[in-house]
Amino acid sequence: NYNFPEDCTVGFKTSNLFSGYTQRLDGIKSVRNYCFASMNILKNYDDLYQIQGVWIWKGDKVPDEVREVDDTNYYTWSTPDTTDPSVRALVDDYFCWEGIFNG
């Protein structure tokens, strides 16, 4: 989740925030060796946009290569309980781009 919802009031600005982050990540070639993600820009009931997604990487913490991009600190990262069926279903939904999200 992006930590500054007040920056996500206009769709194209929210898209620019997210696109800029992914471009900076893409500039670090080794990130492709460590990470796989599905990110979405969602509009909630307050007409605010949210950037949410699921990332999978080697290991149990955010790789140092990803932390090199300053924007990484603007997101909340958590490690889900992968044995929980609801978490597994949410991950499936993100990677299929269908389902009910928190937006």
Side-chain angles (χ1 to χ4, degrees):
N1 290 334
Y2 187 71
N3 292 333
F4 302 100
E6 63 274 7
D7 293 344
C8 299
T9 57
V10 179
F12 77 89
K13 289 182 180 182
T14 305
S15 179
N16 288 348
L17 284 171
F18 172 65
S19 296
Y21 178 56
T22 56
Q23 284 177 344
R24 286 183 281 284
L25 280 173
D26 202 35
I28 303 171
K29 298 298 183 197
S30 62
V31 169
R32 294 180 186 189
N33 296 330
Y34 292 99
C35 303
F36 182 76
S38 177
M39 297 290 290
N40 296 315
I41 297 174
L42 308 169
K43 190 172 186 178
N44 66 19
Y45 299 112
D46 297 330
D47 284 338
L48 294 176
Y49 293 89
Q50 296 177 336
I51 303 171
Q52 297 180 355
V54 174
W55 287 69
I56 296 175
W57 48 65
K58 296 177 183 177
D60 58 354
K61 65 180 182 105
V62 178
D64 292 336
E65 291 82 1
V66 174
R67 292 239 178 247
E68 286 179 22
V69 177
D70 292 335
D71 294 13
T72 300
N73 297 323
Y74 301 157
Y75 293 85
T76 300
W77 302 90
S78 62
T79 304
D81 177 9
T82 56
T83 61
D84 182 353
S86 65
V87 170
R88 293 179 71 89
L90 182 64
V91 170
D92 287 347
D93 287 348
Y94 269 103
F95 283 114
C96 292
W97 283 25
E98 58 185 40
I100 299 175
F101 304 103
N102 296 328

